[in-house]
Amino acid sequence: MSSETNGAAQAQATSQADDLLGAGRTAAVIIASTSAARGEAADTTGPILVDWLRTRGYETPEAIVVRDGEPVGQALRALLIDTPEDERPRIIVTSGGTGLAPDDRTPEFTAEILERQSPGLIYAMWRKGLETTTSAVMSRGVAGVTGRSFVINFPGSKGGVKDGITVIDELLEHIQTSVEDTTDHGPRD
């Protein structure tokens, strides 16, 4: 391949990357799993979520894997309070810690940080999950906004994560433009 052809291909790839929803934005994934944090089990949901966000154009580092409970709160505060506002991820997805076990506290730590919640998104994930398992409604996740960052709690199972992606992916552009206040609401009838 000539250098001109190679240069044109790189320019086209760069142009296509710039057209992606997440272009120029960062995202983060937090996995709440005590067994994965201890190295006793593999993180099976983090790679799925990181790949999804990267495919949408977000600069996304590898998942942050922490124990259930307070470490989730510490990770969220590090990203949304300790990080300067202009450097905070635009999208933060957690997976795990949304069940009924005593140390499943991801929703509580998330709710403490959110300025506004969006419960309909969680409801839509429950509906999608109910298509395959009744246990989907046991997930206590929350979703919402703080500053210009959108945060959502996915269940800790691969199926729950895939259902969550199915629901949120088609809403992600509207979520992002709303949070960034770049939508043109126009006249309302």
Side-chain angles (χ1 to χ4, degrees):
M1 185 183 301
S2 75
S3 63
E4 280 183 26
T5 305
N6 189 27
Q10 287 177 341
Q12 181 179 5
T14 299
S15 174
Q16 289 171 344
D18 290 343
D19 291 340
L20 291 173
L21 176 64
R25 296 170 179 89
T26 60
V29 174
I30 300 171
I31 302 302
S33 171
T34 299
S35 59
R38 289 182 182 155
E40 299 167 357
D43 166 22
T44 59
T45 60
I48 296 168
L49 290 165
V50 168
D51 183 58
W52 166 55
L53 292 165
R54 287 177 179 169
T55 300
R56 299 294 267 142
Y58 293 93
E59 183 181 319
T60 311
E62 295 302 315
I64 300 163
V65 180
V66 297
R67 292 184 336 270
D68 286 292
E70 176 57 32
V72 177
Q74 291 170 348
L76 286 166
R77 288 189 295 275
L79 292 170
L80 292 168
I81 295 172
D82 300 341
T83 300
E85 189 170 350
D86 61 336
E87 296 175 23
R88 293 176 187 161
R90 292 299 175 88
I91 306 289
I92 298 174
V93 181
T94 72
S95 174
T98 63
L100 300 175
D103 62 351
D104 284 342
R105 310 268 304 147
T106 300
E108 287 78 13
F109 290 115
T110 304
E112 287 175 7
I113 293 173
L114 295 178
E115 295 168 356
R116 294 178 314 283
Q117 289 193 29
S118 185
L121 296 172
I122 300 301
Y123 174 78
M125 288 175 27
W126 287 338
R127 271 187 73 184
K128 179 66 179 163
L130 281 171
E131 292 175 9
T132 55
T133 179
T134 57
S135 65
V137 295
M138 292 178 63
S139 179
R140 302 177 308 104
V142 296
V145 175
T146 187
R148 292 173 46 165
S149 297
F150 170 73
V151 185
I152 188 162
N153 303 147
F154 282 15
S157 68
K158 284 172 70 173
V161 163
K162 289 176 182 179
D163 288 344
I165 289 171
T166 299
V167 170
I168 300 304
D169 191 62
E170 60 187 71
L171 300 170
L172 197 53
E173 183 172 6
H174 189 70
I175 290 167
Q176 182 173 285
T177 57
S178 295
V179 171
E180 294 177 355
D181 199 22
T182 56
T183 56
D184 178 13
H185 295 291
R188 304 213 184 230
D189 296 330

